[in-house]
Amino acid sequence: MTSTPPLPQLQFSFTIVAEVDPGLPIDRRTDESLEIIPITGGRVTGAISGEVQPGGADWCLYRNDGAFNVEARYWIRTDDGDIVDVVNVGRISPGSSPDAVDGIFMSTPQFRTTAPALQWLTQRVFIGRAEAFGTHTTIDVFEVIS
């Protein structure tokens, strides 16, 4: 008889609010389209705090099977002046959530930095719960702790 392994536990780490401009169409094929959504700034609060720097973007692929692939790439300057590179990938499956099309989705953010005090960001696994609005996307970032 096999037993079910225990569920991983999550611990809240910080919130990223990324301000965005309207999406820019890049490619359209049959029933799929790709948009780049410019990231224009924002704020990070919690275990790290700082500013989302302008110049990043979110590439959003609207797939012909009803799913969405999202990949955001941007960077943060912390209040201490450290730089954190962010790559955040998510996928919204059709019917995965009644709110998915309206903007709620899960993601897997990854971080890179040379800051000694922030190396924990590069050594741990994180899950993001994101919600997209017209002018910004809010991502609550949770560390997987067990």
Side-chain angles (χ1 to χ4, degrees):
M1 192 179 230
T2 61
S3 62
T4 303
L7 292 175
Q9 300 298 306
L10 302 177
Q11 177 179 303
F12 174 75
S13 294
F14 49 91
T15 297
I16 301 169
V17 178
E19 298 166 357
V20 299
D21 275 347
L24 306 168
I26 298 301
D27 192 15
R28 293 196 195 284
R29 295 181 186 185
T30 316
D31 295 332
E32 295 189 339
S33 65
L34 176 65
E35 286 187 354
I36 292 179
I37 302 167
I39 296 173
T40 60
R43 183 84 187 138
V44 181
T45 56
I48 64 171
S49 60
E51 299 292 326
V52 175
Q53 299 300 297
D58 185 354
W59 284 258
C60 185
L61 175 64
Y62 301 89
R63 295 175 17 179
N64 64 8
D65 63 359
F68 298 81
N69 291 357
V70 293
E71 182 176 337
R73 182 90 190 236
Y74 54 97
W75 58 286
I76 297 164
R77 183 182 303 275
T78 70
D79 291 342
D80 294 329
D82 296 316
I83 303 300
V84 178
D85 176 57
V86 182
V87 177
N88 197 2
V89 176
R91 180 167 293 137
I92 304 168
S93 299
S96 63
S97 162
D99 298 322
V101 174
D102 293 328
I104 297 174
F105 59 96
M106 303 303 285
S107 65
T108 53
Q110 295 188 9
F111 306 97
R112 293 187 297 187
T113 183
T114 60
L118 297 176
Q119 287 304 298
W120 61 276
L121 290 170
T122 70
Q123 300 164 345
R124 299 176 187 172
V125 174
F126 296 92
I127 299 294
R129 182 184 181 279
E131 186 168 5
F133 301 93
T135 59
H136 65 281
T137 298
T138 299
I139 306 124
D140 294 317
V141 178
F142 297 86
E143 178 185 349
V144 179
I145 57 171
S146 64

